[in-house]
Amino acid sequence: MSPKEFVRRRKHLMSMMGEGAIALLPAAPVQIRNRDAEHHYRQDSDFMYLTGFPEPEAVLVLIPGRKQGQCILFCREQDPSMTLWNGPMAGLEGAVESYGADDAFPISDLDEILPGLLEERETVCYTMGARPDFDQRVMGWVNQVRSKSRSGVHAPEEFVSLDHLLHELRLFKSRAELKAMREAATISVKAHKRAMKICKPGMYEYEIEAEYLHEFRRHNSVPAYSSIVGGGNNGCVLHYVDNRDELRDGDLLLIDAAAEVECYAADITRTFPVNGKFSPAQRALYEVVLDAQLAAIKAVKPGNHWNDPHDATVRVITEGLLKLGLLKGKLDNMIESEAYKRFYMHRVGHWLGMDVHDVGDYKIGDEWRMLEPGMVLTIEPGIYIPIGSKGVAKKWQGIGIRIEDDVVVTKDGHLVLSEKAPKHVDEIEALMNG
Ligand code: GLY
Ligand code: MN
Ligand code: MN
């Protein structure tokens, strides 16, 4: 992503904040995995969105209209002993030269410098509650300024939720963001095809997961979330991530796995037969889910609202379940009473971006939000019939199916970033047996 992109985003945010405001945004903390071992560092998405700065121990301060500089980055200073262990770091010069800060200060000077920056600012834009340790520090700085009121210093009087402004920006993806998301989807599609080609009865779920990791890493990406690789009945566990069982002849395999590129996620699910051939029952249910997914994708266009794709899946899935005898009754009654929820219990999808479940409001006031160009969402209906489901014929039990694609709202309708991952029955069988 080019430095200009970050300048543009900061400018946009500052124009929303208005003069007289100040925004404070800390980088993600390092997370300890156990004892001396750290989790792989992932920058906070909001912080990354505005800076592109990948290091921990940093704070971004935006001060619109400030003559001496509007964008200040506090970060770690160059330290040869740290570089020895952890590799190169930006340092103060890098923060200015490579990341476009107007000024940079050592993170160790934050407590000393920040109260002065708050003086004469009316509004503090800050996300309260996400980082209790940082909340305390913000309060401390504000109180420090308040304590100087007798000497005529004005302390900020208003707190505004930074999320609210920033997440509205993040909801609409720029060309550069869509490029990263397309790249993440393309790598993920390669991984799904690789899994379909290699899968056979007797393999283990973790072996299939390894194929995804191989494909992600060899393209310089990381998993966007913990991969779900569930054979047979495990496909009915919505957040199954143990991925430890043997794959059995005659079962389906549900895989929800995708890559992250430059902190932008894909989110793709495919379901296919372990042995390369759908049984008649599997095929019948699969085609209901696929029809529902296609109907929902069709409903992704400007002017439709957020809930239209969901409503489309509910109708098609309920019709399908009635036709197959899994529900009994009248279509409209079944929809109204939400009878379908026994087998389709989640919603059709979510916003997608730097976070897999990305930021952005789904409702404006009490109304579902209209879809607009630049929004990206997942479309992922499913049907899940666990073993032991009462009153359900044996042939349906142990079948979990979800089909998930990543869809951009465009001026004329939509674009499916993950469309090259096979999802039609014939396509899947041809690839698996090719
Ligand atoms: N992979 C998480 C989801 O599909 O929402
Ligand atoms: Mn998913
Ligand atoms: Mn999803």
Side-chain angles (χ1 to χ4, degrees):
M1 217 136 305
S2 83
K4 272 198 199 136
E5 173 88 6
F6 297 104
V7 172
R8 189 185 58 72
R9 293 173 185 179
R10 291 194 293 261
K11 264 199 182 145
H12 199 156
L13 177 66
M14 284 193 275
S15 73
M16 292 165 92
M17 290 162 56
E19 290 206 5
I22 181 169
L24 309 175
L25 184 54
V30 169
Q31 304 281 357
I32 302 297
R33 182 174 184 273
N34 55 325
R35 204 167 162 83
D36 285 344
E38 296 169 359
H39 277 288
H40 186 80
Y41 186 70
R42 164 60 156 79
Q43 187 54 280
D44 173 79
S45 298
D46 284 338
F47 190 89
M48 195 68 181
Y49 181 80
L50 290 173
T51 62
F53 192 77
E55 296 177 22
E57 293 192 82
V59 172
L60 173 70
V61 182
L62 294 177
I63 315 180
R66 181 170 174 270
K67 298 228 165 37
Q68 311 90 304
Q70 307 189 90
C71 171
I72 300 172
L73 199 53
F74 288 84
C75 64
R76 302 194 292 208
E77 289 181 275
Q78 291 287 4
D79 173 350
S81 70
M82 251 175 116
T83 307
L84 173 69
W85 289 95
N86 302 327
M89 54 210 288
L92 304 183
E93 282 118 68
V96 173
E97 272 155 35
S98 310
Y99 296 93
D102 295 322
D103 219 341
F105 297 107
I107 187 74
S108 51
D109 291 352
L110 191 61
D111 287 325
E112 200 180 309
I113 296 174
L114 212 88
L117 296 176
L118 289 170
E119 285 180 14
E120 309 306 320
R121 290 277 142 186
E122 281 160 27
T123 308
V124 180
C125 301
Y126 174 66
T127 302
M128 198 76 72
R131 289 273 306 275
D133 57 330
F134 203 79
D135 293 352
Q136 288 301 320
R137 293 180 74 183
V138 173
M139 291 308 137
W141 298 325
V142 171
N143 280 335
Q144 241 177 297
V145 185
R146 282 180 184 146
S147 71
K148 294 208 303 198
S149 65
R150 259 172 298 164
S151 32
V153 174
H154 285 114
E157 286 176 7
E158 191 183 35
F159 278 79
V160 166
S161 153
L162 179 61
D163 310 30
H164 188 69
L165 304 174
L166 190 50
H167 294 176
E168 186 64 17
L169 278 183
R170 278 180 54 193
L171 179 56
F172 295 89
K173 275 66 181 178
S174 69
R175 196 188 295 245
E177 292 182 284
L178 290 175
K179 187 161 169 263
M181 293 184 77
R182 181 178 282 285
E183 176 67 9
T186 301
I187 295 167
S188 312
V189 166
K190 286 195 170 98
H192 279 281
K193 288 170 88 167
R194 184 183 176 104
M196 287 178 193
K197 280 192 212 155
I198 210 153
C199 180
K200 56 178 188 297
M203 287 182 81
Y204 280 77
E205 291 165 344
Y206 52 77
E207 292 181 87
I208 301 292
E209 182 183 7
E211 298 297 327
Y212 281 80
L213 297 177
H214 179 92
E215 204 63 35
F216 295 164
R217 289 304 294 138
R218 83 196 201 93
H219 290 101
N220 194 21
S221 67
V222 294
Y225 50 90
S226 300
S227 306
I228 295 170
V229 184
N233 201 50
N234 292 340
C236 300
V237 181
L238 296 180
H239 288 163
Y240 177 76
V241 287
D242 289 343
N243 305 346
R244 67 174 162 220
D245 288 343
E246 190 174 341
L247 296 169
R248 291 188 326 208
D249 201 353
D251 278 350
L252 288 180
L253 172 58
L254 182 157
I255 303 176
D256 186 343
E260 178 182 286
V261 169
E262 291 187 64
C263 287
Y264 284 87
D267 184 7
I268 304 175
T269 307
R270 288 294 182 264
T271 308
F272 53 88
V274 168
N275 63 13
K277 180 100 186 100
F278 285 87
S279 73
Q282 289 166 349
R283 184 178 182 134
L285 269 180
Y286 185 90
E287 285 184 333
V288 173
V289 178
L290 183 57
D291 288 347
Q293 206 235 9
L294 295 172
I297 291 175
K298 220 168 146 188
V300 176
K301 57 181 178 192
N304 270 4
H305 59 65
W306 162 257
N307 212 41
D308 283 324
H310 183 71
D311 286 344
T313 58
V314 164
R315 180 154 286 269
V316 175
I317 284 179
T318 308
E319 269 169 4
L321 292 171
L322 282 167
K323 207 163 114 210
L324 298 176
L326 280 152
L327 289 178
K328 290 189 179 60
K330 285 220 163 68
L331 177 63
D332 289 340
N333 294 345
M334 294 290 103
I335 292 175
E336 172 122 8
S337 65
E338 301 185 330
Y340 58 87
K341 275 197 175 167
R342 180 174 181 204
F343 303 114
Y344 173 34
M345 60 297 283
H346 57 74
R347 293 195 47 88
V348 76
H350 47 83
W351 303 131
L352 180 69
M354 298 186 87
D355 295 309
V356 172
H357 291 184
D358 207 31
V359 295
D361 291 333
Y362 291 93
K363 276 189 168 178
I364 305 276
D366 287 337
E367 300 288 329
W368 290 112
R369 175 161 207 155
M370 293 302 229
L371 297 175
E372 295 175 58
M375 294 172 163
V376 184
L377 59 151
T378 66
I379 295 290
E380 49 177 310
I383 292 179
Y384 312 89
I385 311 180
I387 290 173
S389 295
K390 286 217 172 71
V392 173
K394 268 266 165 4
K395 65 175 175 179
W396 306 118
Q397 295 191 19
I399 296 183
I401 298 165
R402 178 165 66 254
I403 308 171
E404 176 174 29
D405 280 306
D406 304 341
V407 186
V408 185
V409 185
T410 62
K411 204 156 52 67
D412 314 314
H414 59 258
L415 191 93
V416 182
L417 294 174
S418 45
E419 68 185 349
K420 295 231 164 75
K423 64 178 172 183
H424 293 273
V425 166
D426 298 347
E427 253 182 317
I428 292 174
E429 290 185 348
L431 181 68
M432 293 187 76
N433 297 293

